[in-house]
Amino acid sequence: MDEVFNLLLNQFEIFLLVFVRTSGIFIVSPFFSTQNTPNTLRVGFAFILSVLLALSLDFDSSIVENGYILLIFKELVVGMIIGFISYSFFSTFYIMGQLVDMKIGFGMVHVIDPQHRVQVPLMGNFYYILSFLLFMSINGHHSIINSLVDSYKFIPIGEFSPIAEDGFFLIDILSKVFNIGFKLSLPIVVTILLIDVLLGILARTIPQMNVFVVGLPLKILIGLVVIGLSLSIFYSISPTIFDSAIKEIYNFLNLF
């Protein structure tokens, strides 16, 4: 306890920089930034984690002598980029769900995501919740915290300098996210496409049949069946996506 008081009284500037980087992750990261989590809990957890980091790591006190406001901004950016990378890969499941919704007939159906207070695709929210639970079950949030700790080895306090590669790196991540989301939706999209072809053939063969009335519930039914059958594949692929997120975080840290 004496060490904590000494940190807050005599090294408050260092502690604040650590707290800002930690808070940056908590603002954006999918696990820590959910709206359902009370702000007091998030701030308290960030505070405790920052205290532990400040006590366990060695920092040069002389870095706070010049440009302290700029240092705070730099630390916030580092934390938010780490959180953004992890959140980007979770957006894969929203992209996947949006494509699936459009094909099976749920394109106009949106639900309110209680975590972010925005409208999201129905199946996108379904996949996101599943991935979120799976992420916690494999202690993925521990990996994010570990990346925060390791970030001080790659980017010590005060040594972050934005470079052009940062922007290209983030753009590359977004392209990977869209690519993964599209590939994940392919089994369902291709299945529904075959159903559309079949319905088109039936419409030409049996003109009296109302394809719209028959086709919409048929696509929903088959789509839900394929979604249920593909859940095992989803569970096997999701950890790979989480690993990719952590890998990209370290790739970002290795830029410096």
Side-chain angles (χ1 to χ4, degrees):
M1 185 62 69
D2 293 337
E3 294 179 351
V4 175
F5 283 117
N6 178 66
L7 172 68
L8 296 178
L9 293 176
N10 301 325
Q11 294 181 298
F12 180 75
E13 294 85 357
I14 295 293
F15 166 76
L16 182 59
L17 293 175
V18 176
F19 180 74
V20 168
R21 183 181 293 195
T22 304
S23 300
I25 293 181
F26 278 53
I27 292 173
V28 185
S29 181
F31 177 76
F32 303 106
S33 64
T34 58
Q35 296 292 331
N36 290 337
T37 305
N39 291 330
T40 52
L41 180 61
R42 281 188 284 178
V43 172
F45 189 58
F47 177 84
I48 294 173
L49 184 58
S50 300
V51 169
L52 295 176
L53 285 173
L55 291 175
S56 59
L57 300 175
D58 294 328
F59 298 103
D60 184 6
S61 301
S62 62
I63 61 176
V64 301
E65 295 178 357
N66 298 313
Y68 188 70
I69 300 299
L70 181 59
L71 288 178
I72 291 178
F73 175 75
K74 287 182 177 181
E75 294 304 303
L76 180 62
V77 170
V78 172
M80 292 187 69
I81 290 178
I82 294 175
F84 173 78
I85 294 173
S86 60
Y87 178 77
S88 296
F89 279 87
F90 267 83
S91 299
T92 296
F93 304 107
Y94 280 135
I95 297 171
M96 173 188 178
Q98 180 70 65
L99 294 173
V100 171
D101 280 350
M102 291 174 60
K103 295 305 296 182
I104 68 176
F106 289 162
M108 297 181 63
V109 181
H110 287 75
V111 295
I112 296 296
D113 179 9
Q115 296 182 6
H116 303 100
R117 308 290 173 85
V118 295
Q119 287 189 343
V120 295
L122 180 63
M123 296 310 302
N125 197 46
F126 170 73
Y127 284 121
Y128 183 88
I129 292 174
L130 283 183
S131 63
F132 189 80
L133 295 175
L134 183 60
F135 184 71
M136 290 191 296
S137 68
I138 62 175
N139 293 325
H141 51 296
H142 293 177
S143 299
I144 295 179
I145 295 176
N146 289 335
S147 67
L148 169 64
V149 177
D150 292 337
S151 69
Y152 289 99
K153 301 177 184 177
F154 296 91
I155 312 176
I157 289 180
E159 295 190 13
F160 172 70
S161 297
I163 54 178
E165 284 77 3
D166 295 344
F168 293 118
F169 178 78
L170 295 178
I171 293 174
D172 182 62
I173 285 179
L174 293 178
S175 66
K176 290 179 180 178
V177 167
F178 280 101
N179 187 31
I180 295 172
F182 177 75
K183 289 181 178 178
L184 288 176
S185 65
L186 273 181
I188 301 172
V189 171
V190 171
T191 301
I192 301 302
L193 179 61
L194 295 176
I195 297 299
D196 286 333
V197 173
L198 177 61
L199 290 174
I201 295 174
L202 290 176
R204 296 297 298 272
T205 306
I206 312 174
Q208 298 83 2
M209 184 181 69
N210 192 326
V211 177
F212 181 79
V213 173
V214 176
L216 184 59
L218 179 63
K219 289 196 291 185
I220 292 176
L221 176 62
I222 294 179
L224 293 177
V225 170
V226 175
I227 289 172
L229 295 176
S230 62
L231 283 180
S232 59
I233 301 176
F234 176 82
Y235 282 120
S236 63
I237 293 178
S238 294
T240 304
I241 298 176
F242 302 147
D243 290 339
S244 298
I246 302 301
K247 179 181 177 181
E248 293 298 338
I249 290 176
Y250 281 95
N251 287 340
F252 162 71
L253 297 177
N254 281 321
L255 292 176
F256 302 92

